[in-house]
Amino acid sequence: MIPDSEFGYELLVCRYAELAWHPDGDARPAIVSRQLGTQRRRWDTVVIEVDPEAFALRRAFGDRSLDSDLLHVVRSAPEAWEWYRDALPDPGYPWRYVRQAVHRVAGRDLIEKRRRGNRIEIRRVRPYPDWVERVVAIENKPDLDRSAADALADQLAHDVETALADEVWLATEATGDRVEPALLRSMPVEAGVLTTGFAEADTGPGGFAVDAAAATVDWLPSDLAPSGPAGRDPETATRRLEIAERAYGKGWRSYRDTMRPDCRHFELRRAGRALVPRCAAKGRCPTARECSGSCPEFSPEPPAWRTNGWPIEGGPGKGLRALLERRRERVRDRIGPDPDGS
Ligand code: SF4
């Protein structure tokens, strides 16, 4: 048996990655996010391997992502006061947009700015660290059949070719016997294959569970990083950093902001060492899309839940959101597997 939606499966893979990265057994500090990429290509699960010391310095820039405009300013802000147009690289678009970004960055106290006549000068508060070690993309397909394998093979071949990620994987659930070897053979040889056994883990009523041993490596991926001292071109390096920044700000529990934990049917169900959303009305994990205000069965939690003795201020919906937020914070604090929580 596999989780009852690809969305549910994706959350389990994210949690597995958070607990057990890297699957080859060589532990590497990493943050995990989902549904990120470029305009052309969106990955299901994204793992950002980080340098722990540089990551601690990145945290000093706050919990929110830095978008491309803000990165442009923060990365090049000078040590001593300087006119921003002298200090920053030519953006390739009008400077007035850079000026807006300067105000936004200064508004978040990430740089200092002052006015000299009609010029705006800036200086950095601290250097922006080189915190991203590797970017890893995972495509999740719990139920791998021939047509899914063909589509995935094309997508993974594209990922291998662009080498935007350092490593790409396919994650699939072992259903009954083994995954059909012929289907795995149709994948590009550079892509890794991770076979999950969430259904075989110590399952509760949800029927599937996650722990650090819930997946096996069927095929190790190749390192896609370009060899040679030149490395990646600056444009690709910047795109990778933008993805890493979005992963940092978003995490993988961001469904708390898009789904409806404030619906009376919304629950968080424990699945081993993961918490997965469950809809009591549908009797399963809802998809992110269907669990919205337009869901025909949406029923707001009664006001009484928010006031009458509910232990978390604001009622269960707010409490669940806060719980998921705390999980993300805890992972950032520890950078690595959490030994006793979910
Ligand atoms: S009834 Fe609809 S809105 Fe409520 S938890 Fe279920 S899927 Fe989400």
Side-chain angles (χ1 to χ4, degrees), residues 9-15 17 21 32-36 42-47 136-140 169 171 252:
Y9 183 74
E10 190 171 300
L11 297 185
L12 298 183
V13 171
C14 288
R15 178 60 177 149
W21 200 256
V32 181
S33 190
R34 42 179 289 274
Q35 295 297 325
L36 290 180
R42 179 171 286 259
W43 296 318
D44 292 338
T45 298
V46 177
V47 181
V136 181
I138 306 176
E139 280 304 311
N140 302 315
W169 290 82
W252 60 270

Side-chain angles (χ1 to χ4, degrees), residues 259-260 263-267 278-282 286-287 290-293 295-299:
M259 295 175 83
R260 299 307 304 249
C263 171
R264 71 165 72 198
H265 302 301
F266 189 95
E267 300 170 348
R278 187 170 189 283
C279 170
K282 298 182 192 308
T287 65
E290 68 189 343
C291 187
S292 65
C295 167
E297 285 149 300
F298 172 70
S299 171

